[in-house]
Amino acid sequence: MLSTIRPKLEFLSKELINKIIEEAYIILERQGIFVENSEALGLFKEAGMKIDTSSQRVFITPELIQDCLNSTPSLIKMYDRNGEKEFVVGGDEAHFDPGSAAVTILDHDTGDQRKADTKDLIRFARLTDLMDNIDFQSTGIISSDIPDIISDSYRLYLGLKYCNKPIVTGTFRVEGFKPMFDMLVAIRGSEQELLDKPLAIFDACPSPALKWSNLTTQSLIDSARAGIPSELISMGMTGATSPVTIAGTLVQHVAENLGGLIICQLAHKGAPVIFGGSPSSFDMRKGTTPMGAIETMMIDSGYTQIAKHLNLPSHAYMGLSDAKVNDNQAGLESGIGSVLAALSGVNVISGPGMMDFESCQSLEKLVIDNEICGMALRLIKGIAQRDDPIATDLFQGFTADTQFLSMPHTRKWYREEHIFPGIIDRDTYDYWVSLGKKTSAERAKDKVEELLQKDKPSTLNDDVQIELQNIMLADAKKNGIDKLPKQIK
Amino acid sequence: MNKTGLFEKMKMAVIEGDKHEAESLAQNAVESKMEMIEVIEKGFTPGIQKAGDLWESGEYFLPELISSAECMTSAMKILQPELIKAGVSAKTLGKVIIGTIEGDIHDIGKNLVASMLAANGFEITDLGADVKLEKFISKAQEINADYICLSSLLTTTMIGQKKIITMLKDKKLFGHIKVMVGGAPVNSQWAHDIGADGYAENAITAVTAAKKLL
């Protein structure tokens, strides 16, 4: 049997990759990066780097960069909440997770965005659990019915409680790490077991250009020491907070991410790091950051290729849209993005459900995007040779009446070779009319309700639930909050 | 060159975003003791107005618009001290305190708003990014500000906008100092909910919104 080609998209020549990396090295050495965190500055000092204390600027030598790249693992194994299913983050593996962190949710019935609350977060987590093409969950929505101060730990609490998938999350405050870490340990049983079977990825965003803030730097340090993978989310906006050319933005992207990677390695040698991002093509007319722009996707694909060249796991915000409702734009931007991400071999693809410049989540879109993800995942499986001979034996005794429907060969392979949608319309016109002439968004709405009504929430055992709740309550109390909202499923 | 020709050159310098040219024209105007008010009103201001028109008509995008705004601001930096020396009170539409709320170090949007307000005749005190809430209030009191403009990119810092309004109310300053809010996650509903006086979704509407509150 001949081997199957994994279809792949590459934008950059080897020479251009090397040039981009070389310029990133030059920037790190000559301009340096801003690190607004004294602990990290201490680590850089220990490593012998030159530091300008007044501006909190660190100048990083090529030797240290190389050293840190050498100690960063090229792949990470994530595990679901039960610790049973393993997901490899590395190579050309592709895992989708819902885009985060939205501040609003799209209300299908009114067509308006509204603030989300506990109930929405639970529905979102439960629905993500049921999406067969979305491997990871994310703390994708901020809940408005609890004070902002604990919104980071609270969204993780609900995600862990209502969804079995590995989780992509992050802190909003330095103090947020501890309770969030404790929750993960509570699920696994011990710190060692969490180390052996990572359950969560923590996102950390540098501020363009070339700055790691106190909060994000602390998240890198704490995560590295706890063995939690840090996902570096550099996010230059072309021509506004990064160079206007795509290649120029890639230079800055690589420099910022390498800065984060080095902080992780200095905090703990061998710490898992994912080379990710959420850069965008800045719209010079509207002053907005379109995630559905083709240039945004080109930047994503470009740095993913560089991540692979550096032998690092990768991540990107792709497969999301800037549309405000589930219209044509929502589908086309999410479709193009998901397909390009899968073809580029992005390991963690954050996007499904998300719209309006990463500010809004939609349950209906999540269900539609799940099908898009399915198509993208099918695409990268490529065209395989299943049999030898491929087909000549099927034509033995071929007559004018021969058909393939009832052949054992068809039955054997059709589910392997083809995927079947649930939302995408493949009905005849008359049948579609008989079902009420529904648009994909309307069918998605029906699907959301059907799934959430039918399926029981995937729950944890009681002891762990109580432990999680105690950690959450303690964090709330510490911040002067006595009560948590009621959890209505 | 006659005055009309000079004014035309000033206008063109701003339209084309030629900062070097704008500064040298302003400097020459100072040295040749031209009438400052006239230089501003007939020379540079028509330039920024035209840039605004070109933006409105869709011809100019942000890089052109912001270059023009910065041109205008740097010319004004040269002209304004002369006005003060001559005892002419500079015609300012109002004193504005602007900044990004603490916890937030994103300031691209805030910078755009500051540039546009400055170019359109407001006197700007830019506190930068990651600014403590108390700082907004104390600075506003210190310079007797007319406006406080608050920017937030992160949802976590939006709440600071609300807190500032409460702090102003506590100090009985609310109403005297107008509060304008903006930033990616901010919308008109939020502005309304927290009782802000003005809201703008971008740097252009910020000018209109601020003028509306005059």
Side-chain angles (χ1 to χ4, degrees):
Chain A
M1 232 63 82
L2 296 170
S3 64
T4 309
I5 288 178
R6 197 263 194 218
K8 238 176 155 172
L9 173 70
E10 292 189 337
F11 279 99
L12 311 172
S13 67
K14 276 265 159 355
E15 293 75 19
L16 187 53
I17 291 179
N18 285 329
K19 191 150 178 52
I20 289 167
I21 294 174
E22 193 186 307
E23 291 200 19
Y25 270 57
I26 292 174
I27 289 172
L28 288 171
E29 190 176 23
R30 295 193 195 155
Q31 269 71 44
I33 51 166
F34 297 100
V35 179
E36 301 179 328
N37 177 290
S38 53
E39 193 176 352
L41 288 172
L43 292 171
F44 277 111
K45 200 173 163 202
E46 263 173 50
M49 295 303 107
K50 202 172 90 188
I51 295 167
D52 176 3
T53 12
S54 63
S55 64
Q56 298 185 306
R57 196 189 275 237
V58 184
F59 304 89
I60 305 170
T61 61
E63 293 74 24
L64 181 67
I65 304 172
Q66 200 48 56
D67 192 36
C68 289
L69 277 169
N70 291 343
S71 66
T72 307
S74 57
L75 58 86
I76 300 165
K77 286 178 181 167
M78 300 295 300
Y79 293 83
D80 64 8
R81 197 180 58 187
N82 297 337
E84 285 161 5
K85 203 167 172 197
E86 179 188 289
F87 302 86
V88 173
V89 178
D92 285 332
E93 299 290 321
H95 307 286
F96 286 95
D97 73 295
S100 80
V103 283
T104 60
I105 189 160
L106 178 67
D107 190 315
H108 175 85
D109 295 328
T110 62
D112 290 332
Q113 292 182 15
R114 61 169 172 78
K115 282 179 198 158
D117 60 17
T118 299
K119 189 181 173 192
D120 295 312
L121 268 74
I122 293 173
R123 282 163 59 89
F124 174 70
R126 287 183 53 209
L127 197 62
T128 304
D129 209 28
L130 299 168
M131 298 291 106
D132 49 356
N133 299 311
I134 297 175
D135 284 345
F136 299 167
Q137 63 164 323
S138 73
T139 44
I141 315 180
I142 316 260
S143 195
S144 66
D145 55 356
I146 47 114
D148 288 344
I149 183 80
I150 55 165
S151 60
D152 52 2
S153 53
Y154 188 66
R155 60 184 190 146
L156 178 66
Y157 166 60
L158 293 180
L160 289 174
K161 190 166 169 187
Y162 291 98
C163 181
N164 188 43
K165 296 181 176 179
I167 189 161
V168 181
T169 187
T171 57
F172 292 157
R173 59 194 158 125
V174 169
E175 301 74 26
F177 184 82
K178 181 74 170 75
M180 292 171 78
F181 173 65
D182 289 346
M183 287 180 201
L184 298 170
V185 172
I187 300 241
R188 283 286 182 256
S190 71
E191 289 187 24
Q192 185 58 45
E193 280 167 279
L194 178 65
L195 205 61
D196 294 342
K197 291 190 167 182
L199 170 61
I201 292 167
F202 274 42
D203 283 352
C205 317
S207 307
L210 304 172
K211 196 188 294 182
W212 281 91
S213 72
N214 182 44
L215 167 68
T216 52
T217 305
Q218 198 59 49
S219 172
L220 293 178
I221 294 173
D222 293 342
S223 299
R225 288 181 179 153
I228 294 173
S230 277
E231 202 160 70
L232 311 173
I233 314 283
S234 178
M235 44 182 188
M237 309 170 193
T238 55
T241 60
S242 69
V244 76
T245 54
I246 292 177
T249 282
L250 288 175
V251 170
Q252 180 180 317
H253 195 102
V254 173
E256 284 176 353
N257 270 7
L258 286 178
L261 178 142
I262 293 163
I263 295 169
C264 292
Q265 297 309 307
L266 291 178
H268 184 84
K269 218 168 182 55
V273 175
I274 301 169
F275 194 99
S278 181
S280 67
S281 150
F282 188 71
D283 186 297
M284 288 299 182
R285 180 68 198 165
K286 309 278 184 187
T288 53
T289 52
M291 301 310 295
I294 199 75
E295 300 86 350
T296 298
M297 301 178 199
M298 290 166 77
I299 302 168
D300 291 327
S301 183
Y303 76 69
T304 299
Q305 207 186 329
I306 295 171
K308 287 180 189 300
H309 177 86
L310 296 171
N311 218 2
L312 297 169
S314 58
H315 156 273
Y317 263 90
M318 295 176 85
L320 57 169
S321 170
D322 304 310
K324 315 301 183 275
V325 291
N326 282 302
D327 60 2
N328 293 346
Q329 184 183 338
L332 80 90
E333 289 179 337
S334 305
I336 294 173
S338 300
V339 165
L340 293 186
L343 285 175
S344 304
V346 179
N347 301 138
V348 182
I349 308 164
S350 300
M354 191 146 244
M355 49 210 316
D356 190 11
F357 313 108
E358 294 184 5
S359 75
C360 179
Q361 259 289 346
S362 155
L363 300 186
E364 292 73 29
K365 184 169 187 293
L366 190 67
V367 167
I368 297 170
D369 291 355
N370 178 54
E371 297 216 339
I372 294 176
C373 299
M375 292 167 83
L377 292 170
R378 170 62 189 97
L379 179 79
I380 56 172
K381 280 194 188 136
I383 301 176
Q385 184 194 347
R386 305 281 191 185
D387 314 275
D388 201 8
I390 302 167
T392 46
D393 57 332
L394 303 175
F395 291 88
Q396 296 253 335
F398 195 82
T399 67
D401 300 328
T402 305
Q403 44 81 8
F404 294 88
L405 262 181
S406 55
M407 275 189 195
H409 180 263
T410 300
R411 182 128 182 210
K412 180 179 175 191
W413 289 118
Y414 86 97
R415 284 176 193 270
E416 298 280 328
E417 289 271 299
H418 306 273
I419 54 170
F420 300 93
I423 299 295
I424 294 292
D425 173 38
R426 291 183 180 172
D427 289 327
T428 59
Y429 180 75
D430 287 346
Y431 191 62
W432 176 76
V433 170
S434 77
L435 293 176
K437 294 185 178 178
K438 285 181 177 168
T439 64
S440 53
E442 288 162 346
R443 291 191 298 274
K445 167 72 182 170
D446 294 345
K447 190 80 184 166
V448 167
E449 297 312 324
E450 179 196 320
L451 286 171
L452 290 177
Q453 262 162 35
K454 200 168 67 188
D455 287 271
K456 287 205 182 78
S458 107
T459 45
L460 283 163
N461 77 47
D462 292 348
D463 291 349
V464 180
Q465 273 201 44
I466 291 167
E467 209 180 331
L468 278 188
Q469 189 178 334
N470 288 341
I471 297 167
M472 188 64 240
L473 269 172
D475 186 29
K477 288 217 169 93
K478 215 171 164 182
N479 289 287
I481 303 147
D482 292 332
K483 236 173 73 187
L484 296 173
K486 222 176 137 192
Q487 291 169 28
I488 305 159
K489 292 153 202 111
Chain B
M1 189 181 289
N2 64 15
K3 269 208 295 198
T4 326
L6 269 174
F7 290 155
E8 188 58 25
K9 278 182 93 169
M10 289 166 182
K11 180 180 157 186
M12 288 313 292
V14 175
I15 293 172
E16 281 164 13
D18 188 341
K19 200 162 158 181
H20 181 75
E21 172 81 352
E23 283 174 346
S24 94
L25 285 165
Q27 200 57 51
N28 287 342
V30 170
E31 279 158 20
S32 58
K33 300 200 180 337
M34 285 175 77
E35 181 75 48
M36 285 300 117
I37 295 278
E38 207 180 19
V39 167
I40 294 167
E41 287 182 355
K42 294 189 178 158
F44 291 102
T45 304
I48 192 67
Q49 280 167 348
K50 178 71 185 166
D53 292 345
L54 288 168
W55 162 271
E56 291 291 340
S57 66
E59 197 163 324
Y60 266 17
F61 282 32
L62 284 172
E64 291 94 357
L65 185 71
I66 297 306
S67 308
S68 291
E70 285 184 0
C71 235
M72 182 74 191
T73 311
S74 45
M76 288 304 287
K77 266 194 192 133
I78 296 168
L79 303 174
Q80 217 126 33
E82 299 305 312
L83 278 178
I84 293 164
K85 259 192 249 169
V88 185
S89 63
K91 232 168 109 193
T92 154
L93 290 179
K95 290 182 183 170
V96 178
I97 302 273
I98 190 166
T100 307
I101 287 179
E102 65 181 310
D104 218 330
I105 51 179
H106 303 88
D107 61 359
I108 177 85
K110 184 264 302 169
N111 292 345
L112 296 180
V113 173
S115 297
M116 286 314 293
L117 287 175
N120 282 278
F122 290 89
E123 190 183 325
I124 304 295
T125 305
D126 188 346
L127 300 179
D130 197 15
V131 181
K132 290 221 173 313
L133 302 182
E134 297 75 23
K135 179 100 185 273
F136 282 100
I137 310 265
S138 62
K139 193 76 193 174
Q141 285 180 296
E142 183 191 321
I143 67 160
N144 199 11
D146 303 293
Y147 298 86
I148 294 180
C149 294
L150 303 167
S151 168
S152 295
L153 178 73
L154 304 176
T155 43
T156 42
T157 58
M158 271 167 73
I159 198 76
Q161 301 184 340
K162 192 170 159 182
K163 281 189 195 148
I164 288 216
I165 290 177
T166 314
M167 287 160 78
L168 285 172
K169 282 180 179 161
D170 289 346
K171 289 183 184 290
K172 309 237 180 301
L173 291 168
F174 190 68
H176 302 288
I177 302 175
K178 308 274 187 223
V179 178
M180 294 194 17
V181 295
V186 177
N187 56 30
S188 52
Q189 185 60 44
W190 166 258
H192 179 260
D193 289 350
I194 64 169
D197 297 290
Y199 156 76
E201 55 179 19
N202 61 45
I204 307 301
T205 51
V207 176
T208 330
K211 283 184 175 168
K212 225 159 107 186
L213 294 173
L214 282 174

